[in-house]
Amino acid sequence: MDLNNATPDGLARRQSLRLDPEQLVRLAEALPRHERKLIEGRFADGLTYRDLARKHHTDPRRMRRRIDKLAQRMHQPEFRFTLLHAGQLPPALRKTAKLLFLHGRSMRDTALATGHTLHRVRTDRSTLQTLARAGV
């Protein structure tokens, strides 16, 4: 495989196919309900992308990309850090971590939901990423 020509979506798709389905289903418990149902449908119930797409009135390729992106997000160090250490974080930082890393919200959406400035959310995200990558 030529990694110089590989796209990020293609790499994520191949990576998600090699992940343990049971682990994905366990991690999906931290996702919002609508995202958790997609992961459970695919990896616990064995539904095909086509079946899920039909159920959600969308294109199978779009459904596959969506599930691959969810799987990719669940395997980020920030996702796991937030799952393990959210209870130890100050309340404001905890809310930011959950919205950004567990729920996959944008920084702008997170700023609106928390009442913080975009600069504050960006700073908090950087702090959380540093902690997650340091393995704290």
Side-chain angles (χ1 to χ4, degrees):
M1 175 169 81
D2 183 14
L3 292 179
N4 294 329
N5 295 326
T7 65
D9 284 341
L11 289 174
R13 184 176 300 116
R14 283 187 294 280
Q15 182 183 24
S16 71
L17 294 175
R18 285 182 271 143
L19 299 173
D20 178 24
E22 291 176 12
Q23 183 182 19
L24 282 173
V25 172
R26 280 193 308 273
L27 289 171
E29 292 175 11
L31 293 173
R33 185 175 182 273
H34 65 282
E35 293 178 335
R36 182 178 63 246
K37 292 291 183 189
L38 292 176
I39 295 294
E40 289 172 349
R42 177 69 182 121
F43 297 105
D45 302 337
L47 296 175
T48 65
Y49 293 111
R50 185 180 309 265
D51 293 338
L52 286 167
R54 202 174 298 126
K55 184 176 177 180
H56 293 277
H57 309 288
T58 190
D59 180 66
R61 288 173 292 189
R62 180 174 285 169
M63 182 57 64
R64 183 180 190 132
R65 283 191 299 268
R66 187 171 175 192
I67 291 173
D68 286 347
K69 285 183 181 188
L70 286 172
Q72 184 182 20
R73 186 169 91 215
M74 289 189 296
H75 282 80
Q76 294 297 312
E78 295 86 358
F79 188 92
R80 291 172 186 260
F81 174 82
T82 303
L83 276 179
L84 294 173
H85 301 290
Q88 300 165 4
L89 297 172
L93 194 58
R94 179 183 319 132
K95 187 170 185 177
T96 299
K98 286 182 175 184
L99 288 170
L100 286 173
F101 304 126
L102 298 184
H103 296 202
R105 303 272 295 270
S106 70
M107 285 193 294
R108 186 172 308 279
D109 286 345
T110 299
L112 289 171
T114 60
H116 296 144
T117 64
L118 189 56
H119 173 74
R120 164 89 184 267
V121 171
R122 188 178 300 118
T123 303
D124 287 350
R125 182 187 70 167
S126 179
T127 299
L128 291 162
Q129 286 174 325
T130 302
L131 290 169
R133 296 185 193 286
V136 173

mmCIF file with all atom_site columns, all heavy atoms in Angstrom, residues 72-94:
data_model
loop_
_atom_site.group_PDB
_atom_site.id
_atom_site.type_symbol
_atom_site.label_atom_id
_atom_site.label_alt_id
_atom_site.label_comp_id
_atom_site.label_asym_id
_atom_site.label_entity_id
_atom_site.label_seq_id
_atom_site.pdbx_PDB_ins_code
_atom_site.Cartn_x
_atom_site.Cartn_y
_atom_site.Cartn_z
_atom_site.occupancy
_atom_site.B_iso_or_equiv
_atom_site.pdbx_formal_charge
_atom_site.auth_seq_id
_atom_site.auth_comp_id
_atom_site.auth_asym_id
_atom_site.auth_atom_id
_atom_site.pdbx_PDB_model_num
ATOM 1   N N   . GLN A 1 72 ? -13.058 6.314  14.311 1.00 0.00 ? 72 GLN A N   1
ATOM 2   C CA  . GLN A 1 72 ? -11.791 7.044  14.399 1.00 0.00 ? 72 GLN A CA  1
ATOM 3   C C   . GLN A 1 72 ? -11.787 7.955  15.626 1.00 0.00 ? 72 GLN A C   1
ATOM 4   O O   . GLN A 1 72 ? -10.805 8.010  16.363 1.00 0.00 ? 72 GLN A O   1
ATOM 5   C CB  . GLN A 1 72 ? -11.580 7.848  13.130 1.00 0.00 ? 72 GLN A CB  1
ATOM 6   C CG  . GLN A 1 72 ? -10.257 8.571  13.081 1.00 0.00 ? 72 GLN A CG  1
ATOM 7   C CD  . GLN A 1 72 ? -10.112 9.394  11.807 1.00 0.00 ? 72 GLN A CD  1
ATOM 8   O OE1 . GLN A 1 72 ? -11.093 9.726  11.149 1.00 0.00 ? 72 GLN A OE1 1
ATOM 9   N NE2 . GLN A 1 72 ? -8.894  9.723  11.477 1.00 0.00 ? 72 GLN A NE2 1
ATOM 10  N N   . ARG A 1 73 ? -12.890 8.646  15.867 1.00 0.00 ? 73 ARG A N   1
ATOM 11  C CA  . ARG A 1 73 ? -12.976 9.544  17.026 1.00 0.00 ? 73 ARG A CA  1
ATOM 12  C C   . ARG A 1 73 ? -12.849 8.762  18.328 1.00 0.00 ? 73 ARG A C   1
ATOM 13  O O   . ARG A 1 73 ? -12.183 9.199  19.272 1.00 0.00 ? 73 ARG A O   1
ATOM 14  C CB  . ARG A 1 73 ? -14.310 10.304 16.993 1.00 0.00 ? 73 ARG A CB  1
ATOM 15  C CG  . ARG A 1 73 ? -14.407 11.349 18.081 1.00 0.00 ? 73 ARG A CG  1
ATOM 16  C CD  . ARG A 1 73 ? -15.593 12.254 17.875 1.00 0.00 ? 73 ARG A CD  1
ATOM 17  N NE  . ARG A 1 73 ? -16.747 11.736 18.569 1.00 0.00 ? 73 ARG A NE  1
ATOM 18  C CZ  . ARG A 1 73 ? -17.993 11.827 18.153 1.00 0.00 ? 73 ARG A CZ  1
ATOM 19  N NH1 . ARG A 1 73 ? -18.281 12.402 17.006 1.00 0.00 ? 73 ARG A NH1 1
ATOM 20  N NH2 . ARG A 1 73 ? -18.978 11.344 18.861 1.00 0.00 ? 73 ARG A NH2 1
ATOM 21  N N   . MET A 1 74 ? -13.455 7.576  18.387 1.00 0.00 ? 74 MET A N   1
ATOM 22  C CA  . MET A 1 74 ? -13.409 6.781  19.611 1.00 0.00 ? 74 MET A CA  1
ATOM 23  C C   . MET A 1 74 ? -12.013 6.249  19.926 1.00 0.00 ? 74 MET A C   1
ATOM 24  O O   . MET A 1 74 ? -11.751 5.852  21.049 1.00 0.00 ? 74 MET A O   1
ATOM 25  C CB  . MET A 1 74 ? -14.410 5.623  19.521 1.00 0.00 ? 74 MET A CB  1
ATOM 26  C CG  . MET A 1 74 ? -15.836 6.082  19.614 1.00 0.00 ? 74 MET A CG  1
ATOM 27  S SD  . MET A 1 74 ? -17.013 4.731  19.764 1.00 0.00 ? 74 MET A SD  1
ATOM 28  C CE  . MET A 1 74 ? -16.817 3.892  18.219 1.00 0.00 ? 74 MET A CE  1
ATOM 29  N N   . HIS A 1 75 ? -11.150 6.242  18.930 1.00 0.00 ? 75 HIS A N   1
ATOM 30  C CA  . HIS A 1 75 ? -9.807  5.728  19.163 1.00 0.00 ? 75 HIS A CA  1
ATOM 31  C C   . HIS A 1 75 ? -8.755  6.827  19.301 1.00 0.00 ? 75 HIS A C   1
ATOM 32  O O   . HIS A 1 75 ? -7.568  6.549  19.335 1.00 0.00 ? 75 HIS A O   1
ATOM 33  C CB  . HIS A 1 75 ? -9.446  4.724  18.065 1.00 0.00 ? 75 HIS A CB  1
ATOM 34  C CG  . HIS A 1 75 ? -10.092 3.406  18.322 1.00 0.00 ? 75 HIS A CG  1
ATOM 35  N ND1 . HIS A 1 75 ? -11.408 3.166  18.022 1.00 0.00 ? 75 HIS A ND1 1
ATOM 36  C CD2 . HIS A 1 75 ? -9.628  2.284  18.910 1.00 0.00 ? 75 HIS A CD2 1
ATOM 37  C CE1 . HIS A 1 75 ? -11.713 1.950  18.398 1.00 0.00 ? 75 HIS A CE1 1
ATOM 38  N NE2 . HIS A 1 75 ? -10.666 1.391  18.930 1.00 0.00 ? 75 HIS A NE2 1
ATOM 39  N N   . GLN A 1 76 ? -9.220  8.045  19.424 1.00 0.00 ? 76 GLN A N   1
ATOM 40  C CA  . GLN A 1 76 ? -8.308  9.151  19.670 1.00 0.00 ? 76 GLN A CA  1
ATOM 41  C C   . GLN A 1 76 ? -7.925  9.168  21.152 1.00 0.00 ? 76 GLN A C   1
ATOM 42  O O   . GLN A 1 76 ? -8.753  8.845  22.014 1.00 0.00 ? 76 GLN A O   1
ATOM 43  C CB  . GLN A 1 76 ? -8.958  10.489 19.294 1.00 0.00 ? 76 GLN A CB  1
ATOM 44  C CG  . GLN A 1 76 ? -9.240  10.633 17.826 1.00 0.00 ? 76 GLN A CG  1
ATOM 45  C CD  . GLN A 1 76 ? -7.955  10.600 17.016 1.00 0.00 ? 76 GLN A CD  1
ATOM 46  O OE1 . GLN A 1 76 ? -6.995  11.282 17.325 1.00 0.00 ? 76 GLN A OE1 1
ATOM 47  N NE2 . GLN A 1 76 ? -7.954  9.795  15.971 1.00 0.00 ? 76 GLN A NE2 1
ATOM 48  N N   . PRO A 1 77 ? -6.694  9.570  21.480 1.00 0.00 ? 77 PRO A N   1
ATOM 49  C CA  . PRO A 1 77 ? -6.289  9.631  22.892 1.00 0.00 ? 77 PRO A CA  1
ATOM 50  C C   . PRO A 1 77 ? -7.181  10.556 23.715 1.00 0.00 ? 77 PRO A C   1
ATOM 51  O O   . PRO A 1 77 ? -7.437  10.278 24.885 1.00 0.00 ? 77 PRO A O   1
ATOM 52  C CB  . PRO A 1 77 ? -4.857  10.166 22.842 1.00 0.00 ? 77 PRO A CB  1
ATOM 53  C CG  . PRO A 1 77 ? -4.417  10.103 21.445 1.00 0.00 ? 77 PRO A CG  1
ATOM 54  C CD  . PRO A 1 77 ? -5.616  9.943  20.574 1.00 0.00 ? 77 PRO A CD  1
ATOM 55  N N   . GLU A 1 78 ? -7.703  11.619 23.106 1.00 0.00 ? 78 GLU A N   1
ATOM 56  C CA  . GLU A 1 78 ? -8.552  12.569 23.832 1.00 0.00 ? 78 GLU A CA  1
ATOM 57  C C   . GLU A 1 78 ? -9.881  11.928 24.251 1.00 0.00 ? 78 GLU A C   1
ATOM 58  O O   . GLU A 1 78 ? -10.400 12.220 25.324 1.00 0.00 ? 78 GLU A O   1
ATOM 59  C CB  . GLU A 1 78 ? -8.828  13.809 22.971 1.00 0.00 ? 78 GLU A CB  1
ATOM 60  C CG  . GLU A 1 78 ? -7.603  14.625 22.663 1.00 0.00 ? 78 GLU A CG  1
ATOM 61  C CD  . GLU A 1 78 ? -6.840  14.141 21.427 1.00 0.00 ? 78 GLU A CD  1
ATOM 62  O OE1 . GLU A 1 78 ? -7.235  13.135 20.817 1.00 0.00 ? 78 GLU A OE1 1
ATOM 63  O OE2 . GLU A 1 78 ? -5.840  14.793 21.079 1.00 0.00 ? 78 GLU A OE2 1
ATOM 64  N N   . PHE A 1 79 ? -10.412 11.060 23.411 1.00 0.00 ? 79 PHE A N   1
ATOM 65  C CA  . PHE A 1 79 ? -11.661 10.362 23.727 1.00 0.00 ? 79 PHE A CA  1
ATOM 66  C C   . PHE A 1 79 ? -11.448 9.483  24.965 1.00 0.00 ? 79 PHE A C   1
ATOM 67  O O   . PHE A 1 79 ? -12.211 9.551  25.923 1.00 0.00 ? 79 PHE A O   1
ATOM 68  C CB  . PHE A 1 79 ? -12.110 9.522  22.531 1.00 0.00 ? 79 PHE A CB  1
ATOM 69  C CG  . PHE A 1 79 ? -13.473 8.907  22.687 1.00 0.00 ? 79 PHE A CG  1
ATOM 70  C CD1 . PHE A 1 79 ? -14.600 9.564  22.231 1.00 0.00 ? 79 PHE A CD1 1
ATOM 71  C CD2 . PHE A 1 79 ? -13.628 7.656  23.277 1.00 0.00 ? 79 PHE A CD2 1
ATOM 72  C CE1 . PHE A 1 79 ? -15.868 9.001  22.355 1.00 0.00 ? 79 PHE A CE1 1
ATOM 73  C CE2 . PHE A 1 79 ? -14.881 7.088  23.413 1.00 0.00 ? 79 PHE A CE2 1
ATOM 74  C CZ  . PHE A 1 79 ? -16.011 7.758  22.953 1.00 0.00 ? 79 PHE A CZ  1
ATOM 75  N N   . ARG A 1 80 ? -10.401 8.700  24.927 1.00 0.00 ? 80 ARG A N   1
ATOM 76  C CA  . ARG A 1 80 ? -10.123 7.788  26.047 1.00 0.00 ? 80 ARG A CA  1
ATOM 77  C C   . ARG A 1 80 ? -9.773  8.552  27.322 1.00 0.00 ? 80 ARG A C   1
ATOM 78  O O   . ARG A 1 80 ? -10.203 8.185  28.415 1.00 0.00 ? 80 ARG A O   1
ATOM 79  C CB  . ARG A 1 80 ? -9.011  6.819  25.674 1.00 0.00 ? 80 ARG A CB  1
ATOM 80  C CG  . ARG A 1 80 ? -9.470  5.836  24.618 1.00 0.00 ? 80 ARG A CG  1
ATOM 81  C CD  . ARG A 1 80 ? -8.311  5.001  24.105 1.00 0.00 ? 80 ARG A CD  1
ATOM 82  N NE  . ARG A 1 80 ? -8.731  4.184  23.008 1.00 0.00 ? 80 ARG A NE  1
ATOM 83  C CZ  . ARG A 1 80 ? -9.029  2.896  23.105 1.00 0.00 ? 80 ARG A CZ  1
ATOM 84  N NH1 . ARG A 1 80 ? -8.959  2.281  24.253 1.00 0.00 ? 80 ARG A NH1 1
ATOM 85  N NH2 . ARG A 1 80 ? -9.403  2.223  22.048 1.00 0.00 ? 80 ARG A NH2 1
ATOM 86  N N   . PHE A 1 81 ? -9.002  9.634  27.177 1.00 0.00 ? 81 PHE A N   1
ATOM 87  C CA  . PHE A 1 81 ? -8.657  10.457 28.331 1.00 0.00 ? 81 PHE A CA  1
ATOM 88  C C   . PHE A 1 81 ? -9.921  11.003 28.985 1.00 0.00 ? 81 PHE A C   1
ATOM 89  O O   . PHE A 1 81 ? -10.072 10.966 30.204 1.00 0.00 ? 81 PHE A O   1
ATOM 90  C CB  . PHE A 1 81 ? -7.739  11.617 27.905 1.00 0.00 ? 81 PHE A CB  1
ATOM 91  C CG  . PHE A 1 81 ? -7.462  12.584 29.015 1.00 0.00 ? 81 PHE A CG  1
ATOM 92  C CD1 . PHE A 1 81 ? -6.475  12.319 29.953 1.00 0.00 ? 81 PHE A CD1 1
ATOM 93  C CD2 . PHE A 1 81 ? -8.185  13.760 29.126 1.00 0.00 ? 81 PHE A CD2 1
ATOM 94  C CE1 . PHE A 1 81 ? -6.231  13.209 30.990 1.00 0.00 ? 81 PHE A CE1 1
ATOM 95  C CE2 . PHE A 1 81 ? -7.956  14.651 30.148 1.00 0.00 ? 81 PHE A CE2 1
ATOM 96  C CZ  . PHE A 1 81 ? -6.970  14.377 31.088 1.00 0.00 ? 81 PHE A CZ  1
ATOM 97  N N   . THR A 1 82 ? -10.833 11.512 28.169 1.00 0.00 ? 82 THR A N   1
ATOM 98  C CA  . THR A 1 82 ? -12.072 12.083 28.703 1.00 0.00 ? 82 THR A CA  1
ATOM 99  C C   . THR A 1 82 ? -12.899 11.006 29.401 1.00 0.00 ? 82 THR A C   1
ATOM 100 O O   . THR A 1 82 ? -13.462 11.257 30.478 1.00 0.00 ? 82 THR A O   1
ATOM 101 C CB  . THR A 1 82 ? -12.882 12.765 27.580 1.00 0.00 ? 82 THR A CB  1
ATOM 102 O OG1 . THR A 1 82 ? -12.060 13.769 26.971 1.00 0.00 ? 82 THR A OG1 1
ATOM 103 C CG2 . THR A 1 82 ? -14.135 13.418 28.126 1.00 0.00 ? 82 THR A CG2 1
ATOM 104 N N   . LEU A 1 83 ? -12.968 9.825  28.831 1.00 0.00 ? 83 LEU A N   1
ATOM 105 C CA  . LEU A 1 83 ? -13.706 8.731  29.477 1.00 0.00 ? 83 LEU A CA  1
ATOM 106 C C   . LEU A 1 83 ? -13.118 8.393  30.852 1.00 0.00 ? 83 LEU A C   1
ATOM 107 O O   . LEU A 1 83 ? -13.855 8.202  31.814 1.00 0.00 ? 83 LEU A O   1
ATOM 108 C CB  . LEU A 1 83 ? -13.644 7.471  28.616 1.00 0.00 ? 83 LEU A CB  1
ATOM 109 C CG  . LEU A 1 83 ? -14.650 7.329  27.501 1.00 0.00 ? 83 LEU A CG  1
ATOM 110 C CD1 . LEU A 1 83 ? -14.411 6.025  26.751 1.00 0.00 ? 83 LEU A CD1 1
ATOM 111 C CD2 . LEU A 1 83 ? -16.062 7.389  28.011 1.00 0.00 ? 83 LEU A CD2 1
ATOM 112 N N   . LEU A 1 84 ? -11.804 8.320  30.913 1.00 0.00 ? 84 LEU A N   1
ATOM 113 C CA  . LEU A 1 84 ? -11.144 7.889  32.143 1.00 0.00 ? 84 LEU A CA  1
ATOM 114 C C   . LEU A 1 84 ? -11.029 8.972  33.205 1.00 0.00 ? 84 LEU A C   1
ATOM 115 O O   . LEU A 1 84 ? -11.088 8.678  34.397 1.00 0.00 ? 84 LEU A O   1
ATOM 116 C CB  . LEU A 1 84 ? -9.738  7.363  31.817 1.00 0.00 ? 84 LEU A CB  1
ATOM 117 C CG  . LEU A 1 84 ? -9.672  6.097  30.977 1.00 0.00 ? 84 LEU A CG  1
ATOM 118 C CD1 . LEU A 1 84 ? -8.236  5.795  30.580 1.00 0.00 ? 84 LEU A CD1 1
ATOM 119 C CD2 . LEU A 1 84 ? -10.276 4.924  31.739 1.00 0.00 ? 84 LEU A CD2 1
ATOM 120 N N   . HIS A 1 85 ? -10.855 10.221 32.780 1.00 0.00 ? 85 HIS A N   1
ATOM 121 C CA  . HIS A 1 85 ? -10.496 11.276 33.730 1.00 0.00 ? 85 HIS A CA  1
ATOM 122 C C   . HIS A 1 85 ? -11.492 12.423 33.836 1.00 0.00 ? 85 HIS A C   1
ATOM 123 O O   . HIS A 1 85 ? -11.216 13.396 34.527 1.00 0.00 ? 85 HIS A O   1
ATOM 124 C CB  . HIS A 1 85 ? -9.124  11.842 33.365 1.00 0.00 ? 85 HIS A CB  1
ATOM 125 C CG  . HIS A 1 85 ? -8.041  10.814 33.362 1.00 0.00 ? 85 HIS A CG  1
ATOM 126 N ND1 . HIS A 1 85 ? -7.561  10.218 34.508 1.00 0.00 ? 85 HIS A ND1 1
ATOM 127 C CD2 . HIS A 1 85 ? -7.360  10.245 32.335 1.00 0.00 ? 85 HIS A CD2 1
ATOM 128 C CE1 . HIS A 1 85 ? -6.621  9.337  34.191 1.00 0.00 ? 85 HIS A CE1 1
ATOM 129 N NE2 . HIS A 1 85 ? -6.490  9.328  32.883 1.00 0.00 ? 85 HIS A NE2 1
ATOM 130 N N   . ALA A 1 86 ? -12.627 12.341 33.183 1.00 0.00 ? 86 ALA A N   1
ATOM 131 C CA  . ALA A 1 86 ? -13.575 13.458 33.206 1.00 0.00 ? 86 ALA A CA  1
ATOM 132 C C   . ALA A 1 86 ? -13.986 13.829 34.631 1.00 0.00 ? 86 ALA A C   1
ATOM 133 O O   . ALA A 1 86 ? -14.106 15.013 34.960 1.00 0.00 ? 86 ALA A O   1
ATOM 134 C CB  . ALA A 1 86 ? -14.815 13.138 32.370 1.00 0.00 ? 86 ALA A CB  1
ATOM 135 N N   . GLY A 1 87 ? -14.174 12.839 35.473 1.00 0.00 ? 87 GLY A N   1
ATOM 136 C CA  . GLY A 1 87 ? -14.585 13.098 36.856 1.00 0.00 ? 87 GLY A CA  1
ATOM 137 C C   . GLY A 1 87 ? -13.553 13.866 37.669 1.00 0.00 ? 87 GLY A C   1
ATOM 138 O O   . GLY A 1 87 ? -13.897 14.480 38.680 1.00 0.00 ? 87 GLY A O   1
ATOM 139 N N   . GLN A 1 88 ? -12.302 13.852 37.227 1.00 0.00 ? 88 GLN A N   1
ATOM 140 C CA  . GLN A 1 88 ? -11.240 14.527 37.951 1.00 0.00 ? 88 GLN A CA  1
ATOM 141 C C   . GLN A 1 88 ? -10.996 15.945 37.440 1.00 0.00 ? 88 GLN A C   1
ATOM 142 O O   . GLN A 1 88 ? -10.221 16.684 38.034 1.00 0.00 ? 88 GLN A O   1
ATOM 143 C CB  . GLN A 1 88 ? -9.943  13.725 37.835 1.00 0.00 ? 88 GLN A CB  1
ATOM 144 C CG  . GLN A 1 88 ? -10.068 12.330 38.397 1.00 0.00 ? 88 GLN A CG  1
ATOM 145 C CD  . GLN A 1 88 ? -8.929  11.422 37.959 1.00 0.00 ? 88 GLN A CD  1
ATOM 146 O OE1 . GLN A 1 88 ? -7.997  11.853 37.298 1.00 0.00 ? 88 GLN A OE1 1
ATOM 147 N NE2 . GLN A 1 88 ? -9.019  10.152 38.320 1.00 0.00 ? 88 GLN A NE2 1
ATOM 148 N N   . LEU A 1 89 ? -11.646 16.306 36.356 1.00 0.00 ? 89 LEU A N   1
ATOM 149 C CA  . LEU A 1 89 ? -11.455 17.630 35.774 1.00 0.00 ? 89 LEU A CA  1
ATOM 150 C C   . LEU A 1 89 ? -12.379 18.639 36.443 1.00 0.00 ? 89 LEU A C   1
ATOM 151 O O   . LEU A 1 89 ? -13.469 18.282 36.899 1.00 0.00 ? 89 LEU A O   1
ATOM 152 C CB  . LEU A 1 89 ? -11.757 17.590 34.269 1.00 0.00 ? 89 LEU A CB  1
ATOM 153 C CG  . LEU A 1 89 ? -10.865 16.713 33.410 1.00 0.00 ? 89 LEU A CG  1
ATOM 154 C CD1 . LEU A 1 89 ? -11.428 16.634 31.985 1.00 0.00 ? 89 LEU A CD1 1
ATOM 155 C CD2 . LEU A 1 89 ? -9.446  17.244 33.383 1.00 0.00 ? 89 LEU A CD2 1
ATOM 156 N N   . PRO A 1 90 ? -11.960 19.909 36.463 1.00 0.00 ? 90 PRO A N   1
ATOM 157 C CA  . PRO A 1 90 ? -12.872 20.956 36.954 1.00 0.00 ? 90 PRO A CA  1
ATOM 158 C C   . PRO A 1 90 ? -14.140 20.960 36.095 1.00 0.00 ? 90 PRO A C   1
ATOM 159 O O   . PRO A 1 90 ? -14.090 20.632 34.905 1.00 0.00 ? 90 PRO A O   1
ATOM 160 C CB  . PRO A 1 90 ? -12.074 22.249 36.760 1.00 0.00 ? 90 PRO A CB  1
ATOM 161 C CG  . PRO A 1 90 ? -10.648 21.823 36.647 1.00 0.00 ? 90 PRO A CG  1
ATOM 162 C CD  . PRO A 1 90 ? -10.658 20.438 36.081 1.00 0.00 ? 90 PRO A CD  1
ATOM 163 N N   . PRO A 1 91 ? -15.293 21.325 36.666 1.00 0.00 ? 91 PRO A N   1
ATOM 164 C CA  . PRO A 1 91 ? -16.569 21.236 35.938 1.00 0.00 ? 91 PRO A CA  1
ATOM 165 C C   . PRO A 1 91 ? -16.577 21.911 34.561 1.00 0.00 ? 91 PRO A C   1
ATOM 166 O O   . PRO A 1 91 ? -17.093 21.327 33.597 1.00 0.00 ? 91 PRO A O   1
ATOM 167 C CB  . PRO A 1 91 ? -17.562 21.901 36.885 1.00 0.00 ? 91 PRO A CB  1
ATOM 168 C CG  . PRO A 1 91 ? -16.963 21.719 38.236 1.00 0.00 ? 91 PRO A CG  1
ATOM 169 C CD  . PRO A 1 91 ? -15.480 21.767 38.037 1.00 0.00 ? 91 PRO A CD  1
ATOM 170 N N   . ALA A 1 92 ? -16.025 23.095 34.432 1.00 0.00 ? 92 ALA A N   1
ATOM 171 C CA  . ALA A 1 92 ? -16.042 23.792 33.136 1.00 0.00 ? 92 ALA A CA  1
ATOM 172 C C   . ALA A 1 92 ? -15.197 23.047 32.106 1.00 0.00 ? 92 ALA A C   1
ATOM 173 O O   . ALA A 1 92 ? -15.600 22.908 30.950 1.00 0.00 ? 92 ALA A O   1
ATOM 174 C CB  . ALA A 1 92 ? -15.550 25.225 33.301 1.00 0.00 ? 92 ALA A CB  1
ATOM 175 N N   . LEU A 1 93 ? -14.030 22.568 32.529 1.00 0.00 ? 93 LEU A N   1
ATOM 176 C CA  . LEU A 1 93 ? -13.155 21.831 31.619 1.00 0.00 ? 93 LEU A CA  1
ATOM 177 C C   . LEU A 1 93 ? -13.767 20.478 31.265 1.00 0.00 ? 93 LEU A C   1
ATOM 178 O O   . LEU A 1 93 ? -13.651 20.002 30.134 1.00 0.00 ? 93 LEU A O   1
ATOM 179 C CB  . LEU A 1 93 ? -11.775 21.659 32.259 1.00 0.00 ? 93 LEU A CB  1
ATOM 180 C CG  . LEU A 1 93 ? -10.638 21.215 31.363 1.00 0.00 ? 93 LEU A CG  1
ATOM 181 C CD1 . LEU A 1 93 ? -10.444 22.180 30.203 1.00 0.00 ? 93 LEU A CD1 1
ATOM 182 C CD2 . LEU A 1 93 ? -9.347  21.094 32.165 1.00 0.00 ? 93 LEU A CD2 1
ATOM 183 N N   . ARG A 1 94 ? -14.448 19.867 32.231 1.00 0.00 ? 94 ARG A N   1
ATOM 184 C CA  . ARG A 1 94 ? -15.123 18.581 32.000 1.00 0.00 ? 94 ARG A CA  1
ATOM 185 C C   . ARG A 1 94 ? -16.185 18.728 30.909 1.00 0.00 ? 94 ARG A C   1
ATOM 186 O O   . ARG A 1 94 ? -16.263 17.910 29.995 1.00 0.00 ? 94 ARG A O   1
ATOM 187 C CB  . ARG A 1 94 ? -15.775 18.089 33.289 1.00 0.00 ? 94 ARG A CB  1
ATOM 188 C CG  . ARG A 1 94 ? -16.514 16.777 33.144 1.00 0.00 ? 94 ARG A CG  1
ATOM 189 C CD  . ARG A 1 94 ? -17.211 16.338 34.435 1.00 0.00 ? 94 ARG A CD  1
ATOM 190 N NE  . ARG A 1 94 ? -16.393 16.584 35.601 1.00 0.00 ? 94 ARG A NE  1
ATOM 191 C CZ  . ARG A 1 94 ? -16.841 17.186 36.704 1.00 0.00 ? 94 ARG A CZ  1
ATOM 192 N NH1 . ARG A 1 94 ? -18.094 17.580 36.793 1.00 0.00 ? 94 ARG A NH1 1
ATOM 193 N NH2 . ARG A 1 94 ? -16.047 17.376 37.730 1.00 0.00 ? 94 ARG A NH2 1
#
